[in-house]
Amino acid sequence: MTDNCPNCLQRHVKPVAEAQRTTQVSHLYRCPACGETWSTNRDLRAYGEAA
């Protein structure tokens, strides 16, 4: 999964770290263009990836 940088809007930034627990996945991102870091937490059930 990729995300867009909230600072400079660089598209398709790949996560530098991932943690998964049951139906939740967390990704840590660092933008290669501006260096901004951010994280996301997603419920895998919303993406059809968990039961």
Side-chain angles (χ1 to χ4, degrees), residues 1-17 27-38 40 42:
M1 185 167 285
T2 63
D3 203 358
N4 298 334
C5 177
N7 185 53
C8 73
L9 305 180
Q10 172 75 30
R11 297 183 66 185
H12 308 295
V13 178
K14 294 181 181 180
V16 295
H27 287 114
L28 178 65
Y29 296 90
R30 181 172 172 83
C31 180
C34 72
E36 180 78 8
T37 58
W38 71 98
T40 61
R42 294 182 173 98

